[in-house]
Amino acid sequence: YVQRLLFLLVAWSILYTLVPSEWQTLVTDPYPQQLSSKARSLLAAPLLLLFEGAKVHLWFLPSLSQGVVLLMLLTGHGRTTLPLCFFAVLLFVVGLLGGSYNVTPIGLDLPFTTRDGPFLSTICLAFGFLLYTRAKALLSPAQALLIIAAGLALHIAESWALWKYFAVPILQHNYLIGTVTGAAGILLFALAAPNFGQKSNIHSLGRYTLGVYLCHYLFVDILTPLTYLFELHIWQLLFPLMVFLLSLALTKALGRWRWSKYLVS
């Protein structure tokens, strides 16, 4: 599983390096110069390249890989889930104190972004693993929805408090306590209502999620120069819709051929 994730990280890092990201400056800054500049920038920060790849959104792949390795090490050879829970909570707390809560009196000043690494992925994987080992202890859909609502409310409350008392911009957070709580509720709801939405057309798009995630930044870069051609409020609606539809089309196209389907599945 980790090999598969690392393959996607390397493959898409190469693609994002080769594809121009500054389309609006290609006339004044030719492609060879952009490619050389991008390669030098990536090689100048090898740790960042290791934890994020060649594009910032790819952080998810090495983060998930590290979480899976920790899951294997902490639960293998007949071990109980107690070490996993301990380290998952510990990493999450460190991630919070070094991330959104680093401006508080108990915050940590860390030389890296705690969004990267195993700080978030491990606790999510641990929760999923605990559900897997205790499959009978599931909640009802209504109870799961209450957890989702509680997570959303907690996330909003945390964002407000950090903005009110520590001047942290509300949109700056990578994750908070409420983020993981709401995500746990969504997983519980999915398990409690496995047939939810199966008759809708949206349900059939689920298999393209990974591909859309991996390739969408190509279209973010391509469409960004068009920002000034539209009214701001119109563009705020059009931009994400166009990025999604183009990413979905590319994912479907790549999935048609044997040599390219491994890039999106």
Side-chain angles (χ1 to χ4, degrees):
Y1 185 74
V2 172
Q3 288 178 340
R4 178 77 185 123
L5 293 173
L6 294 180
F7 166 78
L8 291 172
L9 175 66
V10 172
W12 280 97
S13 291
I14 292 173
L15 286 171
Y16 276 108
T17 302
L18 295 176
V19 176
S21 55
E22 301 290 339
W23 291 88
Q24 65 272 33
T25 63
L26 275 177
V27 176
T28 57
D29 189 11
Y31 173 74
Q33 293 182 16
Q34 281 199 25
L35 179 60
S36 176
S37 175
K38 193 184 297 186
R40 288 197 304 269
S41 176
L42 292 172
L43 294 175
L47 283 179
L48 193 62
L49 180 61
L50 179 64
F51 284 93
E52 286 189 2
K55 207 68 172 178
V56 63
H57 73 296
L58 297 178
W59 69 269
F60 179 83
L61 299 174
S63 176
L64 181 56
S65 300
Q66 294 161 43
V68 170
V69 171
L70 285 174
L71 179 68
M72 177 195 69
L73 293 175
L74 295 171
T75 59
H77 305 293
R79 295 191 184 96
T80 66
T81 56
L82 185 60
L84 173 64
C85 295
F86 173 78
F87 280 102
V89 172
L90 178 62
L91 286 171
F92 184 59
V93 170
V94 171
L96 285 173
L97 296 181
S100 292
Y101 284 82
N102 73 330
V103 297
T104 66
I106 59 173
L108 301 174
D109 187 16
L110 301 177
F112 53 84
T113 302
T114 56
R115 176 201 59 205
D116 304 337
F119 302 99
L120 175 62
S121 61
T122 305
I123 195 167
C124 294
L125 287 166
F127 181 72
F129 184 76
L130 289 174
L131 285 181
Y132 171 75
T133 57
R134 295 168 174 80
K136 295 182 180 179
L138 299 180
L139 303 181
S140 68
Q143 291 171 323
L145 287 174
L146 287 176
I147 294 178
I148 295 173
L152 179 59
L154 180 58
H155 182 102
I156 293 173
E158 289 177 90
S159 300
W160 178 86
L162 289 168
W163 167 76
K164 177 71 174 179
Y165 298 107
F166 300 101
V168 180
I170 290 178
L171 298 181
Q172 182 174 304
H173 307 291
N174 289 310
Y175 59 89
L176 297 167
I177 299 173
T179 316
V180 175
T181 306
I186 292 172
L187 175 58
L188 288 168
F189 179 79
L191 293 173
N195 298 321
F196 179 77
Q198 282 192 351
K199 295 181 180 180
S200 69
N201 293 328
I202 295 177
H203 180 271
S204 64
L205 300 178
R207 64 182 181 273
Y208 302 116
T209 301
L210 177 62
V212 169
Y213 161 75
L214 291 169
C215 75
H216 82 276
Y217 233 106
L218 292 171
F219 300 105
V220 171
D221 291 337
I222 292 172
L223 295 176
T224 295
L226 303 180
T227 301
Y228 302 103
L229 298 179
F230 300 89
E231 294 290 339
L232 180 59
H233 61 283
I234 295 177
W235 185 241
Q236 287 176 334
L237 295 174
L238 281 178
F239 183 71
L241 179 61
M242 292 171 66
V243 168
F244 171 71
L245 292 177
L246 290 170
S247 302
L248 181 62
L250 179 60
T251 299
K252 287 184 174 182
L254 292 174
R256 289 179 179 272
W257 295 289
R258 185 176 61 180
W259 58 271
S260 62
K261 68 178 182 180
Y262 297 108
L263 292 172
V264 292
S265 61

